[in-house]
Amino acid sequence: MGEKLQQATLGVRAGQVRSQFNEHAEALYLTSSFVFDNAAQAAARFAGGEDGMVYTRYTNPTVSMFQDRLAALEGAQSCVATASGMAAILATALVHLKTGDHVVCSNAVFGATIQLFTNILGRFGIETTFVSPTRVDEWRAAVRPATRLLFLETPSNPLTEVSDIAALAEVAKQAGALLAVDNVFCTPALQRPLELGADIVVHSATKYLDGQGRVLGGAVVGSKSIVGQPLTAFLRTAGPTLSPFNAWVLLKGLETLELRMQAQSAAALELARWLERHPSVARVHYPGLESHPQHELAKRQQRAAGSVLSFEVKGGREAAWRVIDGTRLVSITANLGDVKTTLIHPASTTHGRISPEARAAAGITEGLVRLAVGLEAVVDLKGDLERGLS
Ligand SMILES: *Cc1c(COP(=O)(O)O)cnc(C)c1O
C-alpha cells in the first residue's frame, strides 16, 4: 500500500490479504499448521526456498496481516508480533545483546522492563545503567564502549516526562548502539519514533492497540535487517509468538486506533485543564498543558498528548485514596489503554515496592493519582472525580 495514505486509512486498510472466498473482514486463521501440495513443496518451504505458511509458530496469515498493518502505521519495513509486550522487549534484547554488553535505559520505564534488564538479563552478564528520561547529558555520560542498546519509553509513567527521541537517537548513533523506543503510550497514531531516528519500536499491543482490554500481545517494529530478519528467526526458534486469535482482535483494534487516540487525548486535555484549576489539586502532570516542563518538545514530537495524566491531590495518601474510593464509574486498576477510564495510586501499588526515599526522589508522591482517560463523557468523569476531591 502506497506511502502517501493517511494514518486513519492505513489503520483500516493496510495489510489485508483476502482468501479465495473474498471475505470483507480479515479472516481468522485458527490453525496450528499448514499442508503442502507434495513432498518437494514441503522441502522447499522448510528450507526457506519457497515463501508460504508452514507452522503458526513461524507464520500465520492473520498474524501477518496484523504485522503488516502495524508496520505501515509506524512507517517501517518490518513488524514482528509477539505474545505480549514483555515478550517483545525480551526478544529485542536477546537478538541484539550478548554477555558483556551494556544497556543504557530510562529510569522511568515499565516496572517489568526494569526487572527484565536487571534481574534476568543481569544473570547473563548484560549490565544496565538507568538514567533520567529527560537529561540527554546523563545518557551521553553513561555510554561505554560496550554499550549496544539505549531503551526508553515516552511519555513516562506515571509522571508523563517526555524524552527527546531525536537527541537520544544521535547519542545512540555516536555510540554505535541501537535506540529502542517503547511506543505504548502514544502508539503510531500520535508518535512515530522511527521517523525521529529510533532504530526499533516495541509495543505492548495489550494497551491502546487493542484498546478495549481484551487480549495480550506485543510487537517489535523496524527495518528488515534490525527487526524483520533476526526477530522472525528468533521467534521461530524461541517461540513467544502472537496467537492468531489475538492478532485478529488487534487488527480490529487498529481500525479505530486513530479515532480513539484523538478522542482520548482530547478528553485527557480537558480533564487536565479542569484538574489544574481545582482547589484540591496541587499539581497536574500532562504533556498537553503549558505548565508541563517538556510541553514544547511534546508538541514537536507528538500529534497529541495522549490519554495518561497524573495529578497530586493536596493532603497526601489519605486525600488521594479518598478520590479513588469516591469513584463509582472509573475502574480502579493499574491497567491502561482501554476505552474504560482507569485510575490507580502509584505510591501504594505499581511503585509500592521501592523505598519511600527513592519514590520521593522519583517524584511519585503520596498524593499522586494516575488517570488513563477512556471514552466516557468528560462531564461524567469530572462528576466521578469531584465526589472524592471536594
Ligand atoms: C504494559 C506495558 C508493557 C508490558 O506489556 P505486556 O503486554 O503486559 O507484556 C511494556 N511497556 C509498557 C509501557 C506497558 O505499559
Side-chain angles (χ1 to χ4, degrees):
M1 207 163 287
E3 271 293 300
K4 289 167 296 289
L5 294 174
Q6 301 293 306
Q7 291 287 98
T9 310
L10 293 172
V12 176
R13 294 285 176 177
Q16 183 169 8
V17 177
R18 294 203 169 99
S19 77
Q20 74 273 30
F21 299 116
N22 243 355
E23 64 281 352
H24 190 205
E26 295 76 4
L28 168 50
Y29 291 91
L30 278 184
T31 178
S32 47
S33 71
F34 300 83
V35 295
F36 310 108
D37 292 341
N38 49 52
Q41 187 185 55
R45 293 258 176 102
F46 268 83
E50 179 187 305
D51 283 345
M53 303 291 155
V54 175
Y55 186 58
T56 286
R57 173 154 40 79
Y58 314 172
T59 45
N60 174 282
T62 311
V63 175
S64 296
M65 286 190 268
F66 167 68
Q67 293 178 153
D68 292 348
R69 186 166 294 176
L70 185 54
L73 287 169
E74 289 282 8
Q77 283 178 335
S78 301
C79 169
V80 178
T82 57
S84 68
M86 290 319 300
I89 300 171
L90 175 68
T92 301
L94 291 183
V95 159
H96 288 291
L97 301 172
K98 61 182 188 316
T99 301
D101 284 350
H102 176 246
V103 178
V104 184
C105 184
S106 158
N107 61 23
V109 292
F110 191 63
T113 306
I114 294 182
Q115 301 298 325
L116 173 66
F117 279 119
T118 50
N119 298 346
I120 297 181
L121 297 174
R123 282 198 281 120
F124 296 91
I126 295 162
E127 208 187 320
T128 301
T129 305
F130 292 94
V131 295
S132 156
T134 56
R135 301 269 313 269
V136 177
D137 55 327
E138 280 189 24
W139 292 75
R140 210 175 280 117
V143 164
R144 306 174 189 169
T147 304
R148 290 288 165 270
L149 180 70
L150 273 58
F151 191 97
L152 65 89
E153 192 179 303
T154 181
S156 73
N157 180 17
L159 294 175
T160 73
E161 292 165 287
V162 177
S163 298
D164 189 333
I165 296 172
L168 292 171
E170 200 49 46
V171 174
K173 203 165 144 200
Q174 279 166 16
L178 298 170
L179 173 64
V181 175
D182 181 332
N183 203 22
V184 166
F185 275 51
C186 279
T187 81
L190 304 186
Q191 171 173 279
R192 304 216 298 174
L194 300 172
E195 280 174 358
L196 298 165
D199 301 289
I200 299 170
V201 168
V202 297
H203 275 287
S204 166
T206 315
K207 312 294 168 50
Y208 295 97
L209 300 189
D210 174 349
Q212 295 180 60
R214 299 165 294 194
V215 299
L216 264 81
V220 187
V221 191
S223 68
K224 273 201 180 81
S225 62
I226 294 172
V227 171
Q229 281 148 3
L231 269 290
T232 300
F234 175 83
L235 257 77
R236 178 177 174 148
T237 304
T241 317
L242 181 66
S243 107
F245 179 81
N246 290 6
W248 181 82
V249 172
L250 294 170
L251 269 165
K252 293 288 136 193
L254 291 182
E255 293 180 348
T256 57
L257 180 69
E258 172 82 14
L259 268 181
R260 284 186 285 106
M261 294 309 289
Q262 291 296 342
Q264 290 177 235
S265 295
L269 180 60
E270 192 180 335
L271 277 171
R273 289 200 171 123
W274 174 73
L275 286 165
E276 201 172 39
R277 289 191 309 267
H278 201 289
S280 304
V281 173
R283 190 168 172 195
V284 182
H285 304 272
Y286 185 64
L289 293 175
E290 288 72 15
S291 59
H292 188 282
Q294 293 95 37
H295 175 65
E296 288 305 318
L297 171 61
K299 270 204 325 205
R300 277 204 309 279
Q301 196 166 272
Q302 304 175 204
R303 285 174 58 215
S307 102
V308 177
L309 64 93
S310 59
F311 59 99
E312 233 169 84
V313 188
K314 291 176 186 165
R317 176 176 296 209
E318 204 185 317
W321 280 25
R322 205 181 309 125
V323 172
I324 292 168
D325 294 341
T327 57
R328 291 173 201 157
L329 198 59
V330 172
S331 315
I332 307 171
T333 169
N335 198 29
L336 54 89
D338 201 305
V339 295
K340 293 181 168 70
T341 298
T342 65
L343 93 176
I344 196 79
H345 182 245
S348 57
T349 57
T350 51
H351 295 70
R353 277 181 300 176
I354 53 180
S355 72
E357 300 76 37
R359 227 173 17 238
I364 317 286
T365 60
E366 289 293 323
L368 195 73
V369 174
R370 189 201 70 200
L371 197 61
V373 183
L375 284 180
E376 302 93 339
V378 175
V379 64
D380 293 331
L381 295 174
K382 285 180 185 169
D384 207 37
L385 294 169
E386 183 60 38
R387 250 190 310 278
L389 279 173
S390 56

